[in-house]
Amino acid sequence: MTEPHRSGFACFVGRPNAGKSTLTNALVGTKIAITSSKPQTTRHAIRGIVHRADAQLVIIDTPGLHRPRTLLGQRLNDVVHETWSEVDVVGFCVPADEKVGPGDRFIAEELKKIARRTPVLGIVTKTDLVAPERVAEQLLALQQVMEFAELVPVSAVDGFQVGTVADLLVARLPEGPQLYPGGELTDEPEQTLIAELIREAALEGVRDELPHSIAVTVEEMLPHEGRDDLIDVHALLYVERPSQKGIILGHRGARLREVGSTARGHIERLLGSKVYLDLHVKIAKDWQRDPKQLRRLGF
């Protein structure tokens, strides 16, 4: 008797910076969801697809849920709730190296509303950062927060129990054929992924006031004239204020060049081709609070 093939959707939730994107990347085995030390960096529900002989698990990467202060914040939370209502199983991620706090309890309260229909796994992430007894304490603390279908510790960095997490998620998917043809790792259009890679590069090493204020649009992407081994990518990096433009550009444009060369490396790996990246910084005043601009920037 062979086991039936399963396929379906999962998502990871948790406070910003709980290790959701890193775990997604470890499961999928390639870099798709952007990972950054800055909280609130994931904006699009980028899906990673785990292909196995017995199953296809589609991971939807949601923004971190938080108490919203701007229209953008509200839209991000709407994305989260929409995603939760559509998946077969949810993984609630709490890092091993930080105490379970009010932010986690806020998310647990929201999750309890769907837990009757949708199984929720409690996942303690980043176990490589602490001693085993701390992991045990964190599992106990998490157990107090809500009723989970399973509790599991994991480290995406050293691969500890990543396979176990995949098995636990797959076990809760409905039986069914592949949803995406073999080999695809994400169904996001390339331009969305490229914009995310540029944004990730721009966030590295900048001060904390910037993350929410950066948006990237890929204006055009086309083969370089007269060369079939080179792709031209023209992208705009939007910030809200002139002072932020200065931070991104750096002294005589040095910082922007660095962002460009980091992003170009990632984009070339994504596309499997040489890339010429043309990057400009523009100011879109207070775009996070302006519905028209939010729409234009893809929210």
Side-chain angles (χ1 to χ4, degrees):
M1 246 307 268
T2 55
E3 281 291 297
H5 186 276
R6 296 180 179 278
S7 58
F9 296 87
C11 74
F12 295 122
V13 303
R15 280 183 291 140
N17 238 353
K20 305 179 290 286
S21 294
T22 311
L23 183 55
T24 299
N25 291 341
L27 286 162
V28 177
T30 179
K31 181 169 180 153
I32 41 163
I34 68 166
T35 51
S36 159
S37 55
K38 295 268 173 276
Q40 272 309 113
T41 50
T42 306
R43 284 199 184 140
H44 296 278
I46 291 182
R47 301 166 171 82
I49 302 172
V50 183
H51 296 277
R52 308 189 347 172
D54 62 336
Q56 192 177 62
L57 171 68
V58 183
I59 301 169
I60 298 182
D61 189 31
T62 62
L65 187 73
H66 61 301
R67 295 171 197 272
R69 285 193 298 275
T70 60
L71 182 60
L72 174 65
Q74 188 52 60
R75 294 242 172 124
L76 291 177
N77 279 0
D78 293 345
V79 170
V80 177
H81 286 113
E82 244 161 70
T83 305
W84 291 4
S85 63
E86 290 161 11
V87 298
D88 301 295
V89 55
V90 173
F92 178 22
C93 297
V94 174
D97 62 336
E98 293 176 33
K99 283 217 176 320
V100 172
D104 300 304
R105 284 190 272 276
F106 170 69
I107 292 169
E109 286 309 312
E110 298 290 313
L111 279 172
K112 284 177 190 169
K113 299 172 191 169
I114 63 154
R116 284 191 299 282
R117 324 182 285 282
T118 311
V120 179
L121 309 184
I123 302 172
V124 172
T125 58
K126 307 187 186 185
T127 59
D128 53 293
L129 298 179
V130 298
E133 8 342 323
R134 178 72 195 104
V135 175
E137 281 168 24
Q138 193 71 325
L139 286 164
L140 284 170
L142 194 52
Q143 215 171 352
Q144 309 303 311
V145 174
M146 67 176 279
E147 191 79 31
F148 290 103
E150 294 273 354
L151 275 170
V152 59
V154 66
S155 165
V157 172
D158 60 20
F160 169 66
Q161 300 237 94
V162 170
T164 306
V165 170
D167 291 342
L168 291 172
L169 293 169
V170 163
R172 287 164 178 82
L173 300 181
E175 292 176 19
Q178 287 199 354
L179 300 163
Y180 293 88
E184 279 186 40
L185 291 171
T186 170
D187 72 344
E188 279 292 305
E190 280 170 343
Q191 292 192 343
T192 307
L193 289 172
I194 288 168
E196 288 287 274
L197 289 169
I198 293 169
R199 211 162 69 86
E200 180 183 43
L203 288 176
E204 277 320 305
V206 294
R207 297 206 297 282
D208 293 338
E209 70 266 26
L210 268 178
H212 302 282
S213 307
I214 294 180
V216 176
T217 57
V218 173
E219 298 298 302
E220 60 174 355
M221 202 169 112
L222 61 185
H224 190 80
E225 244 179 84
R227 283 181 60 177
D228 50 10
D229 61 337
L230 183 66
I231 295 172
D232 291 346
V233 176
H234 299 275
L236 293 174
L237 227 157
Y238 289 92
V239 291
E240 293 190 308
R241 296 191 291 284
S243 60
Q244 296 172 337
K245 184 173 178 175
I247 294 172
I248 292 281
L249 286 171
H251 183 59
R252 296 194 170 157
R255 178 110 222 301
L256 186 65
R257 282 195 295 279
E258 212 173 285
V259 169
S261 93
T262 304
R264 194 182 66 238
H266 289 311
I267 295 166
E268 290 182 338
R269 281 196 286 283
L270 175 75
L271 299 178
S273 159
K274 283 251 169 286
V275 165
Y276 164 73
L277 176 60
D278 174 46
L279 200 50
H280 292 277
V281 183
K282 289 187 86 162
I283 296 165
K285 206 166 137 23
D286 290 337
W287 64 265
Q288 296 188 72
R289 296 174 190 278
D290 176 351
K292 253 207 328 281
Q293 299 203 66
L294 279 171
R295 271 199 304 282
R296 189 169 52 103
L297 297 173
F299 302 111

